[in-house]
Amino acid sequence: MYKMMTPGPTMVAENVRKARSMETGNPDLDLDFYDYYKETCELYSELLHTKNESLILSGEGILGLEAAVASLTEPGDRVLVLDNGVFGKGFADFVEIYGGKPVLYTTDYHKAIEAEPLRAFLEKDSDFKYATVVHCDTPSGMLNDIAVICPLLKEFEILTVVDSVSGMFGNEVNVDASQIDILCGGSQKAVSAPIGLTMVTISEAAKQAMENRKTKIASFYANLMTFKDYYENKWFPYSMPISDIYGLRQALQNIKEDKDILARHARIATKTREAVVRSGLTLYAENGYSNTVTVFTIPGGVTAEQILTTLRADYGIMLAGSFDVMAGEVIRIGHMGYNCTEENMAETLDALGKTLEKLDVSLKEPLRYEM
């Protein structure tokens, strides 16, 4: 087996694995499970500093993104898609699928979205039902400041949909302070539970927009309104994946008890970037560095496949390349959730440095994480 230091999925704590192995009942008929589900959703909301309702959906994190778009979009709706990364641009596909008209606000993929140019754009055109924002655009490790961007959008009465699947719990997220209407998360990133769940947090304004639609939501599984009054009616729209939710509950409890979680992510991310730069490698981003993933450009004379294959075969560590416009251009180091420890990063960078040496890549100094 290998050590998985990718930007998600992450390794999973033993107590999360044990929680998933507990004996299960019937989630549709067991009334106690409705309480358990609701309490788990409330714990998730608490950790994200919001009074908004949260839901756990059975599906990988991308389900939450599609469900947010499906539930808000009506044919002809103009939707602002903030695009400074592959995932940011990808929201436009969902908007089109559900009949909306995406308007891309495209900026440099090496830089975080800046508030003042966005404000200037909105002063000329703000006729949008909602806007989509990616918190951490995982293919590049780009972090956008949702605490600034979302309140700015709300100034123009634009609803906000945020993808923080790979951002939350490694970078600060305060839903209420940031005025986020729908926040999307996933189980397999810094939450450090297995793949399979997406979590969405929904404001009253977003619910009203869904309630006041003139057309039906063009989906069942990606329809957030199917959960309306689930607790009062003791009815789920589909059978909940009870074992996955047991594991998620334990993972969220781990986060609650980890008082150093944000500071640790910031500290380890900073040290990782510093080590990469000292060695002579080049970070992909010019600013907007996420505390959950570090991305560097591949040095000349070697390929992403050579680096990744050698690292895994010879040292038992898995990193990730990227895709779309960054395919073959960068390597991504994940340091999120359960993976985010000094010991893991020291081992990872040491192995990466030895891998580059084997591949005859010349570095300014050995790639070393300073403990």
Short mmCIF file of all heavy atoms in Angstrom, two decimals, residues 237-269:
data_model
loop_
_atom_site.label_atom_id
_atom_site.label_comp_id
_atom_site.label_asym_id
_atom_site.label_seq_id
_atom_site.Cartn_x
_atom_site.Cartn_y
_atom_site.Cartn_z
N PRO A 237 -35.82 11.39 0.72
CA PRO A 237 -36.14 11.17 -0.70
C PRO A 237 -35.53 9.90 -1.25
O PRO A 237 -35.95 9.40 -2.30
CB PRO A 237 -35.58 12.41 -1.39
CG PRO A 237 -34.56 12.96 -0.46
CD PRO A 237 -35.05 12.62 0.91
N TYR A 238 -34.51 9.37 -0.60
CA TYR A 238 -33.92 8.09 -0.97
C TYR A 238 -33.24 7.53 0.27
O TYR A 238 -33.02 8.25 1.25
CB TYR A 238 -32.92 8.22 -2.12
CG TYR A 238 -31.91 9.34 -1.97
CD1 TYR A 238 -30.79 9.19 -1.14
CD2 TYR A 238 -32.06 10.55 -2.65
CE1 TYR A 238 -29.86 10.21 -1.00
CE2 TYR A 238 -31.14 11.58 -2.51
CZ TYR A 238 -30.04 11.40 -1.68
OH TYR A 238 -29.13 12.41 -1.53
N SER A 239 -32.93 6.25 0.26
CA SER A 239 -32.32 5.63 1.45
C SER A 239 -30.94 6.21 1.70
O SER A 239 -30.07 6.20 0.82
CB SER A 239 -32.23 4.11 1.26
OG SER A 239 -33.52 3.54 1.18
N MET A 240 -30.74 6.71 2.90
CA MET A 240 -29.47 7.32 3.26
C MET A 240 -28.37 6.27 3.43
O MET A 240 -28.63 5.19 3.99
CB MET A 240 -29.63 8.10 4.56
CG MET A 240 -30.45 9.37 4.44
SD MET A 240 -29.59 10.65 3.49
CE MET A 240 -30.49 10.59 1.95
N PRO A 241 -27.14 6.57 2.99
CA PRO A 241 -26.01 5.65 3.16
C PRO A 241 -25.53 5.69 4.61
O PRO A 241 -24.59 6.42 4.97
CB PRO A 241 -24.96 6.20 2.18
CG PRO A 241 -25.26 7.66 2.12
CD PRO A 241 -26.74 7.80 2.29
N ILE A 242 -26.16 4.92 5.44
CA ILE A 242 -26.03 5.07 6.89
C ILE A 242 -24.59 4.87 7.38
O ILE A 242 -24.12 5.60 8.24
CB ILE A 242 -27.03 4.12 7.60
CG1 ILE A 242 -27.03 4.33 9.10
CG2 ILE A 242 -26.81 2.68 7.22
CD1 ILE A 242 -28.17 3.61 9.81
N SER A 243 -23.87 3.89 6.82
CA SER A 243 -22.48 3.66 7.26
C SER A 243 -21.59 4.84 6.93
O SER A 243 -20.73 5.23 7.73
CB SER A 243 -21.93 2.39 6.60
OG SER A 243 -22.62 1.25 7.06
N ASP A 244 -21.78 5.42 5.74
CA ASP A 244 -21.00 6.60 5.37
C ASP A 244 -21.27 7.76 6.33
O ASP A 244 -20.36 8.52 6.68
CB ASP A 244 -21.34 7.03 3.94
CG ASP A 244 -20.82 6.07 2.89
OD1 ASP A 244 -19.94 5.25 3.21
OD2 ASP A 244 -21.30 6.13 1.74
N ILE A 245 -22.51 7.90 6.74
CA ILE A 245 -22.87 9.00 7.63
C ILE A 245 -22.32 8.77 9.04
O ILE A 245 -21.90 9.72 9.71
CB ILE A 245 -24.40 9.21 7.62
CG1 ILE A 245 -24.83 9.72 6.24
CG2 ILE A 245 -24.83 10.21 8.70
CD1 ILE A 245 -26.32 9.78 6.03
N TYR A 246 -22.27 7.51 9.48
CA TYR A 246 -21.60 7.22 10.75
C TYR A 246 -20.14 7.67 10.69
O TYR A 246 -19.61 8.27 11.64
CB TYR A 246 -21.64 5.71 11.04
CG TYR A 246 -22.97 5.17 11.51
CD1 TYR A 246 -23.22 3.80 11.49
CD2 TYR A 246 -23.98 6.01 11.99
CE1 TYR A 246 -24.43 3.27 11.91
CE2 TYR A 246 -25.20 5.49 12.42
CZ TYR A 246 -25.42 4.13 12.38
OH TYR A 246 -26.61 3.61 12.81
N GLY A 247 -19.47 7.37 9.57
CA GLY A 247 -18.08 7.77 9.43
C GLY A 247 -17.92 9.28 9.37
O GLY A 247 -17.01 9.85 9.97
N LEU A 248 -18.82 9.94 8.65
CA LEU A 248 -18.77 11.40 8.56
C LEU A 248 -18.95 12.04 9.94
O LEU A 248 -18.24 12.99 10.28
CB LEU A 248 -19.87 11.90 7.61
CG LEU A 248 -20.01 13.42 7.50
CD1 LEU A 248 -18.77 14.05 6.89
CD2 LEU A 248 -21.25 13.78 6.68
N ARG A 249 -19.88 11.51 10.70
CA ARG A 249 -20.13 12.07 12.05
C ARG A 249 -18.85 12.02 12.88
O ARG A 249 -18.49 12.99 13.55
CB ARG A 249 -21.24 11.28 12.72
CG ARG A 249 -21.52 11.64 14.18
CD ARG A 249 -22.17 13.03 14.32
NE ARG A 249 -22.81 13.14 15.61
CZ ARG A 249 -24.09 12.85 15.87
NH1 ARG A 249 -24.88 12.42 14.88
NH2 ARG A 249 -24.59 12.99 17.06
N GLN A 250 -18.13 10.89 12.84
CA GLN A 250 -16.90 10.78 13.60
C GLN A 250 -15.83 11.73 13.06
O GLN A 250 -15.09 12.35 13.83
CB GLN A 250 -16.37 9.35 13.57
CG GLN A 250 -15.12 9.13 14.41
CD GLN A 250 -15.33 9.47 15.87
OE1 GLN A 250 -16.15 8.83 16.54
NE2 GLN A 250 -14.61 10.46 16.38
N ALA A 251 -15.75 11.86 11.74
CA ALA A 251 -14.77 12.78 11.14
C ALA A 251 -15.05 14.22 11.57
O ALA A 251 -14.13 14.99 11.87
CB ALA A 251 -14.79 12.65 9.63
N LEU A 252 -16.32 14.60 11.59
CA LEU A 252 -16.68 15.96 12.03
C LEU A 252 -16.37 16.15 13.51
O LEU A 252 -15.94 17.24 13.93
CB LEU A 252 -18.16 16.22 11.75
CG LEU A 252 -18.57 16.27 10.28
CD1 LEU A 252 -20.08 16.43 10.16
CD2 LEU A 252 -17.87 17.40 9.54
N GLN A 253 -16.59 15.11 14.30
CA GLN A 253 -16.25 15.20 15.72
C GLN A 253 -14.75 15.36 15.90
O GLN A 253 -14.29 16.12 16.76
CB GLN A 253 -16.74 13.95 16.46
CG GLN A 253 -16.68 14.07 17.98
CD GLN A 253 -17.55 15.18 18.52
OE1 GLN A 253 -18.67 15.40 18.05
NE2 GLN A 253 -17.03 15.91 19.50
N ASN A 254 -13.97 14.67 15.07
CA ASN A 254 -12.51 14.83 15.11
C ASN A 254 -12.12 16.28 14.84
O ASN A 254 -11.23 16.84 15.49
CB ASN A 254 -11.84 13.93 14.08
CG ASN A 254 -11.93 12.46 14.42
OD1 ASN A 254 -12.28 12.09 15.55
ND2 ASN A 254 -11.61 11.60 13.46
N ILE A 255 -12.79 16.89 13.86
CA ILE A 255 -12.51 18.29 13.52
C ILE A 255 -12.87 19.20 14.69
O ILE A 255 -12.11 20.11 15.04
CB ILE A 255 -13.29 18.69 12.25
CG1 ILE A 255 -12.73 17.97 11.02
CG2 ILE A 255 -13.24 20.21 12.03
CD1 ILE A 255 -13.58 18.11 9.78
N LYS A 256 -14.01 18.96 15.30
CA LYS A 256 -14.45 19.80 16.42
C LYS A 256 -13.44 19.75 17.56
O LYS A 256 -13.19 20.77 18.23
CB LYS A 256 -15.82 19.35 16.90
CG LYS A 256 -16.38 20.23 18.01
CD LYS A 256 -17.81 19.85 18.37
CE LYS A 256 -18.37 20.79 19.44
NZ LYS A 256 -19.77 20.48 19.77
N GLU A 257 -12.87 18.60 17.79
CA GLU A 257 -11.93 18.43 18.91
C GLU A 257 -10.52 18.90 18.57
O GLU A 257 -9.68 19.03 19.47
CB GLU A 257 -11.91 16.96 19.33
CG GLU A 257 -13.24 16.48 19.92
CD GLU A 257 -13.31 14.98 20.11
OE1 GLU A 257 -12.28 14.30 19.83
OE2 GLU A 257 -14.37 14.49 20.53
N ASP A 258 -10.25 19.17 17.31
CA ASP A 258 -8.92 19.57 16.85
C ASP A 258 -8.83 21.11 16.86
O ASP A 258 -9.07 21.76 15.86
CB ASP A 258 -8.67 19.03 15.45
CG ASP A 258 -7.25 19.25 14.97
OD1 ASP A 258 -6.48 19.95 15.67
OD2 ASP A 258 -6.91 18.74 13.88
N LYS A 259 -8.46 21.66 17.99
CA LYS A 259 -8.47 23.12 18.15
C LYS A 259 -7.38 23.81 17.34
O LYS A 259 -7.43 25.02 17.11
CB LYS A 259 -8.30 23.49 19.64
CG LYS A 259 -9.34 22.85 20.56
CD LYS A 259 -10.76 23.18 20.15
CE LYS A 259 -11.79 22.56 21.08
NZ LYS A 259 -13.19 22.78 20.64
N ASP A 260 -6.39 23.06 16.88
CA ASP A 260 -5.26 23.63 16.15
C ASP A 260 -5.39 23.44 14.64
O ASP A 260 -4.47 23.74 13.89
CB ASP A 260 -3.97 22.96 16.64
CG ASP A 260 -2.70 23.58 16.07
OD1 ASP A 260 -2.60 24.83 16.07
OD2 ASP A 260 -1.82 22.83 15.61
N ILE A 261 -6.56 23.00 14.18
CA ILE A 261 -6.66 22.52 12.80
C ILE A 261 -6.32 23.60 11.76
O ILE A 261 -5.54 23.35 10.83
CB ILE A 261 -8.05 21.90 12.52
CG1 ILE A 261 -8.08 21.24 11.14
CG2 ILE A 261 -9.19 22.91 12.70
CD1 ILE A 261 -9.30 20.36 10.91
N LEU A 262 -6.86 24.80 11.89
CA LEU A 262 -6.59 25.84 10.89
C LEU A 262 -5.15 26.35 11.00
O LEU A 262 -4.48 26.55 9.98
CB LEU A 262 -7.58 26.99 11.04
CG LEU A 262 -9.03 26.67 10.68
CD1 LEU A 262 -9.91 27.91 10.88
CD2 LEU A 262 -9.14 26.18 9.23
N ALA A 263 -4.67 26.54 12.22
CA ALA A 263 -3.30 27.01 12.41
C ALA A 263 -2.31 25.98 11.89
O ALA A 263 -1.28 26.33 11.28
CB ALA A 263 -3.04 27.31 13.88
N ARG A 264 -2.59 24.70 12.11
CA ARG A 264 -1.68 23.65 11.64
C ARG A 264 -1.65 23.62 10.12
O ARG A 264 -0.57 23.50 9.51
CB ARG A 264 -2.11 22.29 12.19
CG ARG A 264 -1.14 21.16 11.80
CD ARG A 264 -1.52 19.83 12.41
NE ARG A 264 -2.72 19.26 11.81
CZ ARG A 264 -3.91 19.25 12.38
NH1 ARG A 264 -4.09 19.81 13.57
NH2 ARG A 264 -4.95 18.69 11.78
N HIS A 265 -2.80 23.70 9.48
CA HIS A 265 -2.82 23.72 8.02
C HIS A 265 -2.03 24.91 7.47
O HIS A 265 -1.28 24.76 6.51
CB HIS A 265 -4.27 23.76 7.51
CG HIS A 265 -4.93 22.43 7.42
ND1 HIS A 265 -5.47 21.80 8.51
CD2 HIS A 265 -5.14 21.60 6.36
CE1 HIS A 265 -5.99 20.63 8.13
NE2 HIS A 265 -5.80 20.49 6.83
N ALA A 266 -2.21 26.07 8.08
CA ALA A 266 -1.50 27.26 7.61
C ALA A 266 0.01 27.10 7.80
O ALA A 266 0.81 27.45 6.91
CB ALA A 266 -1.99 28.49 8.36
N ARG A 267 0.40 26.57 8.94
CA ARG A 267 1.83 26.41 9.25
C ARG A 267 2.49 25.42 8.29
O ARG A 267 3.56 25.69 7.72
CB ARG A 267 1.96 25.94 10.70
CG ARG A 267 3.37 25.74 11.19
CD ARG A 267 3.39 25.47 12.68
NE ARG A 267 2.71 24.22 13.04
CZ ARG A 267 1.54 24.14 13.69
NH1 ARG A 267 0.89 25.25 14.03
NH2 ARG A 267 1.03 22.97 14.00
N ILE A 268 1.86 24.28 8.10
CA ILE A 268 2.46 23.24 7.26
C ILE A 268 2.44 23.65 5.79
O ILE A 268 3.41 23.40 5.05
CB ILE A 268 1.72 21.91 7.50
CG1 ILE A 268 2.07 21.38 8.90
CG2 ILE A 268 2.06 20.88 6.42
CD1 ILE A 268 1.33 20.15 9.33
N ALA A 269 1.38 24.31 5.36
CA ALA A 269 1.34 24.79 3.97
C ALA A 269 2.45 25.79 3.70
O ALA A 269 3.11 25.74 2.66
CB ALA A 269 -0.02 25.41 3.69
#
